[in-house]
Amino acid sequence: MREIEVSEIINVISRLCMEANYYLPDDVLECIKQAQAKEESPAAQAILDQIIENNVIARKEGLALCQDTGFAVFFVELGQEVRITGGDYQEAFDEGTRRGYEAGYLRKSIVNDPVFARANTKDNTPCIVHTRIVPGEELKITFCPKGGGAENMAEVRMLTAAHGIEGIKEFVIERVKKSGGNPCPPVVVGVGVGGNFEKCAMLAKQALLREPLGTPNPDPNFARAEAELLENINNLGIGPMGLGGRTTALAVHIETFPCHIATMPVAVNLNCHVARHKSIVI
Amino acid sequence: MNLREKTLAIRLTTPLTDNDIEKLKIGDNILLSGVIYTGRDAAHKRLHDLLKKGEPLPIDLQGAVIYYVGPAPAKPGYPIGSAGPTTSYRMDPFVPLMFQHGQKGMIGKGNRSEEVIATIKKFKGVYLAATGGVAALIAKSVKSMEIVAYEDLGPEAIRRLVVEDFPCIVANDCHGGDLFKEGIKKYQR
């Protein structure tokens, strides 16, 4: 049994909040540069230049890449040999978020009541923590701040087996097409297939975290679907910020899970080109 | 590429006049200077409610450009934190009444409703698209910032910004042009 103090978690979370919001992951930047080499629209080229330049400024000056520093979402793998001591687990994540967003000059974007008061909580809490208990005595925390603009373009649809892979592809294309410039393309397309209503939504979000960006699904059928979807999405012509171009998506990642004999749920979650995420192991 | 875009850019200064706006067409690269106001979801709702009740607004809408943004907090020594555009469609329902009261321009990201496009045409307005997610870069064009209304809204408070060479592109012009439709048509296969 290994003990981890909540104070350590708080410090790690606080640092993660800042670093993920200042530094664009290298694999994302690499994909943007590769896309730029193939881009035909001069206006789109100029936008991709701005994206690359923005990364340089944010990194050098320690500034948020995007003013929307997101809902703080954490995916945690908690080793079953670990005991958390010295305080409340969820509160440790909230406190780390509170400190990181304050010290890092990150925007506080959370309102207390989704419908009526909608008063800003002023410290970006509560955060959302998805915890999975795994073997071992490590604590792995992945932080992915998610902006509202891209999150608003997500959808879950309860397809059935009769729709097959073609039905899934139609749905994904339709979702990206309807989203246009709103989710800040070039986007990363996360697709969750299988499980149930809530599981496929989780899979779609986890699909956004696959590293390095553009790594194909290990199953050749889904890898083929990912490649076809990427090509079809880029043929939509939406382009960076929806102003026309050949670069609409940087990657399509499909994650799957077994499902019920009667169902084939599918979820699509888009990430903006500021595809922030960072992991740390305690 | 940026250099080429810059040399071709049109310099505009707020407040905008009919004469300024008539010359603009979709795809024009703009470097905007002068005073602009920030406003997004919650601030728009309040302004719209005041207009409906016939009450005075906390800002002067005549020729005004509203930038759809909720900036990050400013670090010491900076006038503003990172400040890129938010998605514009959420403000669509408020646009007709605001333009009826003198607003001329808006800066945001993403396409607009048919109603907004018609409003721009009717009142000689312009919708400028800025690049989402390049918020540290855009903040460089902001020279000063002061909160002028609704401080309780935090990042959604209305701020008065003085900007210099703010980079944006004409997405919807007063002639009915829509760069989102035209751009996509050009590059789809």
Side-chain angles (χ1 to χ4, degrees), chain A residues 39-43 45-47 49-51 53-54 57-58 61-67 105-108 120 122 149 152-153 181-184 234-238 241-246 273-274, chain B residues 1-2 4-5 40 69-76 78 82-87 89-90 109-111 129-137 140 152-153 155 167 169 171 179-180 183-184 187-189:
Chain A
E39 180 54 68
E40 296 164 19
S41 155
Q45 286 276 0
I47 290 173
D49 272 343
Q50 286 184 344
I51 292 171
E53 196 183 337
N54 184 63
I57 295 170
E61 301 186 30
L63 297 171
L65 288 152
C66 180
Q67 80 291 340
Y105 296 91
L106 306 177
R107 196 181 78 181
K108 289 79 180 173
N120 198 301
K122 297 198 156 74
N152 272 345
M153 299 298 118
N182 296 333
C184 285
N234 285 328
N235 280 339
L236 292 172
I238 294 168
M241 298 317 296
L243 296 169
R246 301 291 302 157
H273 61 76
V274 194
Chain B
M1 203 61 70
N2 258 355
R4 194 172 77 214
E5 298 293 330
R40 44 172 295 154
V69 61
K75 282 176 95 166
Y78 287 75
S82 297
T86 195
T87 318
Y89 75 88
R90 299 192 311 270
K109 68 177 174 82
N111 64 337
T131 305
V134 302
L137 174 85
K140 294 286 175 204
D152 61 298
L153 293 179
I169 185 163
L179 184 59
F180 293 97
I184 289 170
Y187 292 100
Q188 72 188 3
R189 297 276 198 284

Side-chain angles (χ1 to χ4, degrees), chain B residues 38-130:
Chain B
T38 72
R40 44 172 295 154
D41 309 56
H44 270 79
K45 184 159 190 329
R46 290 189 188 181
L47 293 176
H48 200 256
D49 285 348
L50 288 176
L51 287 176
K52 276 198 294 192
K53 286 189 282 186
E55 289 175 17
L57 300 187
I59 56 169
D60 182 9
L61 275 188
Q62 295 312 310
V65 174
I66 296 186
Y67 179 24
Y68 302 150
V69 61
K75 282 176 95 166
Y78 287 75
I80 198 168
S82 297
T86 195
T87 318
S88 304
Y89 75 88
R90 299 192 311 270
M91 270 54 77
D92 284 356
F94 306 118
V95 170
L97 193 58
M98 306 263 294
F99 272 62
Q100 202 181 309
H101 285 82
Q103 186 183 341
K104 278 293 189 188
M106 46 211 164
I107 309 172
K109 68 177 174 82
N111 64 337
R112 311 306 298 266
S113 67
E114 291 303 324
E115 191 186 25
V116 169
I117 293 169
T119 299
I120 289 171
K121 212 172 159 180
K122 184 173 172 192
F123 294 103
K124 281 205 171 66
V126 65
Y127 171 47
L128 303 166

Side-chain angles (χ1 to χ4, degrees), chain A residues 250-266:
Chain A
L250 298 171
V252 178
H253 294 167
I254 302 174
E255 292 294 328
T256 67
F257 196 79
C259 68
H260 188 278
I261 48 173
T263 73
M264 194 179 73
V266 182

